Amino acid sequence: MFHRGELSLHTKGRGTYDITRDVTAIVSASGARVGLATAFVHHTSASLIVCENADPDVRRDLDAFFARLVPDGDRIFSHDAEGPDDMPAHVRTVLTQTSIGIPIAGRRLDLGTWQGLYLWEHRHAGHARRVTVSIVGE
Amino acid sequence: MFHRGELSLHTKGRGTYDITRDVTAIVSASGARVGLATAFVHHTSASLIVCENADPDVRRDLDAFFARLVPDGDRIFSHDAEGPDDMPAHVRTVLTQTSIGIPIAGRRLDLGTWQGLYLWEHRHAGHARRVTVSIVGE
Amino acid sequence: MFHRGELSLHTKGRGTYDITRDVTAIVSASGARVGLATAFVHHTSASLIVCENADPDVRRDLDAFFARLVPDGDRIFSHDAEGPDDMPAHVRTVLTQTSIGIPIAGRRLDLGTWQGLYLWEHRHAGHARRVTVSIVGE
């Protein structure tokens, strides 16, 4: 079987947004008992990560690390049509993931105990973001 | 259904090469209406990214950023059998993607408006590169 | 067809562990002639990479580079519940891959000549790690 689901979210600016529950709902709707759910984000300034879901400090530290690694307004960048966070958002996206494939078992996402799936908004302004989940299985 | 296609390209050295059209042709040949196309690059010194496809400055800036982040000839590297860009090419590959899964809808790659799929050659010399596209769907 | 396999390994601390043979065994057990094998690691302080498999210096250099890029005990991190390598392990995971999709051809993993699939343990202490391989094909 193949099943396709979509989710949309409106971010409030740079940071991580937990989409585990939304993707889980798509997996349930698919009826798949076992399989693979591949999430894909339709943007180049937001990305996907699987990250520790217990301590919010982890995602704050992640963002602090990436803000230092890829500084807004870095003079190495010539592309700044949308501002100082434009090109850094593209770099941060390329350094993380545009798609992630997660196993399905027992009719649910088979994530590790401490794993959550997050959309990472890399722009400072809020944006409407779209994620497609492609499910294969039986 | 499962369908497999391959594409080969000869790069002219370090930089990004748009393979969106070639992958789209494989999707068309597969006959899939909806599904998932997973691209995989068979090398450890070239990688795949989904990136902004409008302003070529974006890919130039990306390359400038990565050249600073992972400098050619960095003395931290002992592996330099093929020259100063040998080990940086492996690091740049690991920092980006070896495989990316993209949804198929309406018999075509369901990329966002500004998304293109690129092979990123990390070596300064041109190389023959091979990408396999695995399609599941219906 | 859909097939699911799992592998477990006990790491001996930070470093790369070749899992190509274990994943190949799961592919064989699946009976798939052609298809796609998607490996997924169920942790947020260990990740997956496809890397050069000939010269062990490559993986040593990779680790040296990442140890410099994401220093243990970096004061930018507030999350250090499990020690100075706790948050760096999460960052290193996010900078690499949690899932990789590899084509199957001729009943085996269709990797390039120099490609191996590695689990990268990012913690200094040894850990029990779990990887699921999801196979679709025919």
Side-chain angles (χ1 to χ4, degrees), chain A residues 90-125:
Chain A
H90 295 311
V91 175
R92 290 161 63 121
T93 296
V94 162
L95 284 170
T96 52
Q97 265 77 68
T98 291
S99 74
I100 298 181
I102 303 173
I104 298 167
R107 301 186 186 279
R108 58 174 200 78
L109 279 181
D110 186 16
L111 290 166
T113 314
W114 309 106
Q115 288 183 314
L117 178 62
Y118 296 85
L119 180 134
W120 198 348
E121 172 63 71
H122 298 299
R123 301 298 309 278
H124 286 294

Side-chain angles (χ1 to χ4, degrees), chain C residues 7-87:
Chain C
L7 64 99
S8 298
L9 69 166
H10 287 266
T11 67
K12 293 166 183 166
R14 188 171 281 180
T16 52
Y17 296 82
D18 193 339
I19 59 170
T20 313
R21 190 172 302 194
D22 301 283
V23 174
T24 296
I26 292 171
V27 169
S28 295
S30 78
R33 215 168 25 82
V34 293
L36 179 74
T38 303
F40 176 87
V41 59
H42 296 260
H43 308 277
T44 63
S45 51
S47 60
L48 299 174
I49 58 169
V50 167
C51 190
E52 209 259 32
N53 61 5
D55 181 358
D57 277 352
V58 171
R59 272 102 58 207
R60 272 198 295 270
D61 284 355
L62 262 186
D63 215 83
F65 180 87
F66 273 72
R68 187 181 66 186
L69 184 68
V70 195
D72 289 339
D74 192 325
R75 301 186 68 164
I76 206 174
F77 299 134
S78 54
H79 174 87
D80 58 2
E82 298 193 14
D85 61 336
D86 182 346
M87 193 60 217

